[in-house]
């Protein structure tokens, strides 16, 4: 598994298939532990991810780590984290369709190599990339969908959205995320 990922990473680091290669500092391939259970797909690198070459290392990433830690999961031990596109769009704009298309082979390769049982679609960009028939994360978050290689996929709120919505009241985005992460952990624990 690791050597296959290393090969595709090497190709990805040298990628010049779309214009983002001209403005990136680093390609952000993945972080966390390659495993057959749990993969999270985010959106795209932001400023800090581009600087450091790792996904989810800014404020949103710190919150994501806390959400995982609340159910005893960590990227060091349990979760493989990657993004829909591997290079930062300037000013953090949404990825363009041609950028998603150019980058798709890397995400597909990651999923094919890992064949994870659970895939988390973190935010609208990951949702539209993996479940293009659905738009609007609010309607589908917390639900399970069939994914590639026999996986189950769950769309979840993006931590940046949670950072903008501070309430923890019943029904708030943070409260809903707490329900979702508990369901995810429950299903995770059922995987042999
Ligand atoms: N947001 C994402 O979707 N991915 C990152 O890596 C960082 C922020």
């Amino acid at each position: 598994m690791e050597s296959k990922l290393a090969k595709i990473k090497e190709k990805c680091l040298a990628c010049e298939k779309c214009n983002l290669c001209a403005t990136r500092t680093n390609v952000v391939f993945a972080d966390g532990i390659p495993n057959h259970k749990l993969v999270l797909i985010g959106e795209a690198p932001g400023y800090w991810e581009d600087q450091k070459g790792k996904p989810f290392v800014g404020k949103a990433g710190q919150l994501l780590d806390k959400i995982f830690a609340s159910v005893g999961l960590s990227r060091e031990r349990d979760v493989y984290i990657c993004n829909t596109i591997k290079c930062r769009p300037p000013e953090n704009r949404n990825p363009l369709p041609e950028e998603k298309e150019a980058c798709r082979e890397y995400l597909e390769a990651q999923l094919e190599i890992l064949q994870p049982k659970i895939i988390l679609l973190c935010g609208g960009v990951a949702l539209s990339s993996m479940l293009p028939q659905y738009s609007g994360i609010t309607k589908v978050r917390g639900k399970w969908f069939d994914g590639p290689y026999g996986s189950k996929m769950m769309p979840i709120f993006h931590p940046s959205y949670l950072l903008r919505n501070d309430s923890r009241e019943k029904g708030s985005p943070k409260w809903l995320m707490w329900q979702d992460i508990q369901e995810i952990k429950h299903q995770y624990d059922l995987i042999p």
Side-chain angles (χ1 to χ4, degrees):
M1 182 158 77
E2 264 91 356
S3 71
K4 283 187 184 167
L5 284 171
K7 244 190 192 162
I8 188 78
K9 180 175 178 181
E10 194 184 328
K11 184 175 175 196
C12 188
L13 295 191
C15 182
E16 296 188 346
K17 282 170 70 185
C18 81
N19 288 337
L20 296 181
C21 66
T23 49
R24 74 184 176 218
T25 312
N26 285 295
V27 176
V28 177
F29 184 70
D31 193 26
I33 187 90
N35 74 92
H36 293 304
K37 288 191 178 181
L38 185 56
V39 166
L40 177 134
I41 306 173
E43 182 175 320
Y47 175 81
W48 285 111
E49 290 76 22
D50 176 64
Q51 290 292 310
K52 301 203 169 163
K54 276 189 181 185
F56 283 103
V57 290
K59 273 203 167 146
Q62 286 161 22
L63 178 55
L64 182 67
D65 286 343
K66 276 193 199 161
I67 292 165
F68 279 129
S70 73
V71 290
L73 296 171
S74 79
R75 69 169 90 189
E76 289 78 21
R77 251 190 348 254
D78 313 298
V79 194
Y80 183 82
I81 297 178
C82 61
N83 280 313
T84 306
I85 66 163
K86 313 305 191 203
C87 297
R88 181 191 183 211
E91 314 302 328
N92 296 349
R93 62 159 168 74
N94 273 345
L96 302 173
E98 60 267 30
E99 292 161 357
K100 286 205 266 184
E101 187 51 38
C103 217
R104 189 157 183 95
E105 69 163 295
Y106 304 116
L107 179 60
E108 280 180 358
Q110 286 170 313
L111 296 177
E112 188 185 353
I113 294 164
L114 295 167
Q115 308 218 348
K117 295 279 182 268
I118 296 175
I119 300 173
L120 303 179
L121 308 178
C122 185
V125 171
L127 172 67
S128 70
S129 167
M130 298 301 291
L131 290 170
Q133 65 273 42
Y134 295 98
S135 62
I137 194 98
T138 309
K139 272 191 237 147
V140 292
R141 60 129 279 283
K143 297 192 168 114
W144 290 111
F145 296 86
D146 291 336
Y149 310 107
S151 61
K152 288 152 75 97
M153 301 195 291
M154 183 192 281
I156 56 171
F157 284 134
H158 195 286
S160 311
Y161 177 67
L162 302 179
L163 287 171
R164 297 193 299 270
N165 289 273
D166 216 31
S167 165
R168 285 166 192 273
E169 272 175 36
K170 192 171 176 182
S172 66
K174 276 194 173 152
W175 184 86
L176 291 169
M177 176 60 106
W178 173 236
Q179 313 306 307
D180 294 349
I181 196 66
Q182 289 180 86
E183 164 62 14
I184 290 158
K185 179 61 163 49
H186 176 67
Q187 292 299 323
Y188 179 89
D189 285 339
L190 296 177
I191 303 170

